[in-house]
Amino acid sequence: MPSDQPVRVALSGVSSTALWTLRNRAAASMSANSPFHDYWAEKLYRSIDFPFEEFGAVSESHAVRAQVFDAALLKLLRQDRKTTVVALGEGLQTTFWRLGSPDVQWLSVDLPEVIEIRRQLLPADGHITDAAMSALDRSWFDYVEGTNVIITAEGLLMYLAPDEVTGLLADLATRFPGGNLIFDTVPPWFVELSAKGVPIARNASHPMPAYTFGCGPQDAFAMVGRVPGLARLEELTPEGPQRLSASKIMVDVLRHVPFLRNNGYFTGRFTFTD
């Protein structure tokens, strides 16, 4: 059950990125005239005792990403309500409630320390099942009946090794033929900067893990045909109103200038071979 008192939280490594993205989504939701609204992100943010200022300047990028994932999920759920949503490395995402608590089975997969926070601070729901394990632990497959799934990997793949990414994709396609994977990646040059210790944001002091997998749009499309079981890939882009910002301008430039295209952040949906 959610607590009325702030709960001290200590996460490190990749798990700590759940706090970073939560802070940014909550800040966007609380911002005046924001097109993004996330009640449970705000409530969760206020319920956690953590020095969020260590993450430096606030970015709207995670709110924009959440909107892209939401739109893709809603589109697929409108087509088929008899499905299971699997949120890999779900962290402190609050997607289920932003979507209006959809009447589908929802599997939340993350490490035990993150699942414990979710259980403590987010409301219980009969549609949600927790799997306290790594997204790479294939035993979560056993939690899913049948093969009809929508899998999300929001802010996950960039923290895996390249062979872990391709291996996971191939295994997902084999286990869930005809299923869908909504995912995002950072470009290779961002991985290089991360490895050099470049801060994630201006004035950031929190020690963040380096990105280990980079994949621009052209690289992502090249995976279809190279990784067994990937039938097709659709690029996902933001819909609806967005506030003009320096990061948005940069993303738009990278997306629309051909020779820069593979240097951009990418969000897409793989469909597995049926």
Side-chain angles (χ1 to χ4, degrees):
M1 291 294 293
S3 172
D4 293 330
Q5 298 296 323
V7 174
R8 184 175 295 276
V9 167
L11 294 175
S12 60
V14 174
S15 293
S16 70
T17 65
L19 295 165
W20 172 44
T21 59
L22 169 67
R23 189 281 305 266
N24 285 342
R25 292 194 332 274
S29 183
M30 293 185 290
S31 179
N33 302 317
S34 173
F36 178 73
H37 304 287
D38 194 333
Y39 168 82
W40 274 106
E42 293 183 35
K43 188 170 180 62
L44 190 56
Y45 171 67
R46 294 189 180 104
S47 299
I48 290 176
D49 179 5
F50 182 86
F52 287 100
E53 65 277 5
E54 290 185 0
F55 294 124
V58 172
S59 168
E60 293 186 347
S61 61
H62 296 119
V64 173
R65 179 177 73 181
Q67 289 175 296
V68 174
F69 272 70
D70 287 357
L73 271 168
L74 285 172
K75 180 180 179 180
L76 290 173
L77 290 174
R78 281 194 292 265
Q79 296 171 1
D80 184 4
R81 305 292 292 192
K82 296 181 180 179
T83 189
T84 298
V85 175
V86 180
L88 289 183
E90 187 166 26
L92 299 176
Q93 300 290 344
T94 49
T95 312
F96 178 81
W97 295 277
R98 272 200 319 273
L99 298 183
S101 302
D103 185 20
V104 297
Q105 293 304 306
W106 191 285
L107 179 62
S108 178
V109 182
D110 212 313
L111 297 175
E113 58 267 30
V114 178
I115 292 296
E116 179 57 32
I117 296 172
R118 295 184 64 84
R119 289 172 178 168
Q120 187 175 3
L121 298 179
L122 288 171
D125 189 288
H127 291 91
I128 301 176
T129 301
D130 298 327
M133 62 186 68
S134 165
L136 295 174
D137 185 342
R138 284 16 173 213
S139 61
W140 68 257
F141 288 9
D142 298 332
Y143 285 69
V144 182
E145 294 183 7
T147 61
N148 190 11
V149 299
I150 304 168
I151 303 166
T152 65
E154 187 172 352
L156 171 66
L157 299 187
M158 59 279 290
Y159 295 109
L160 305 181
D163 61 335
E164 291 176 330
V165 173
T166 54
L168 179 61
L169 291 177
D171 288 350
L172 292 176
T174 298
R175 173 61 178 81
F176 304 107
N180 292 273
L181 171 69
I182 304 169
F183 69 99
D184 65 315
T185 64
V186 297
W189 65 267
F190 209 34
V191 175
E192 294 177 9
L193 286 181
S194 175
K196 295 177 181 177
V198 175
I200 58 171
R202 180 168 45 85
N203 298 326
S205 61
H206 184 83
M208 296 290 280
Y211 294 130
T212 48
F213 174 74
C215 178
Q218 294 171 355
D219 299 326
F221 278 97
M223 295 176 77
V224 178
R226 182 169 64 85
V227 177
L230 300 185
R232 58 184 176 275
L233 172 62
E234 174 190 359
E235 182 173 6
L236 303 175
T237 56
E239 301 175 0
Q242 295 179 67
R243 289 194 290 202
L244 190 64
S245 65
S247 60
K248 180 182 185 303
I249 293 172
M250 183 181 73
V251 168
D252 288 344
V253 168
L254 290 174
R255 180 178 293 124
H256 294 109
V257 177
F259 70 90
L260 294 177
R261 179 164 165 70
N262 203 50
N263 292 315
Y265 171 84
F266 182 78
T267 309
R269 175 172 68 92
F270 280 125
T271 300
F272 304 141
T273 303
D274 197 341

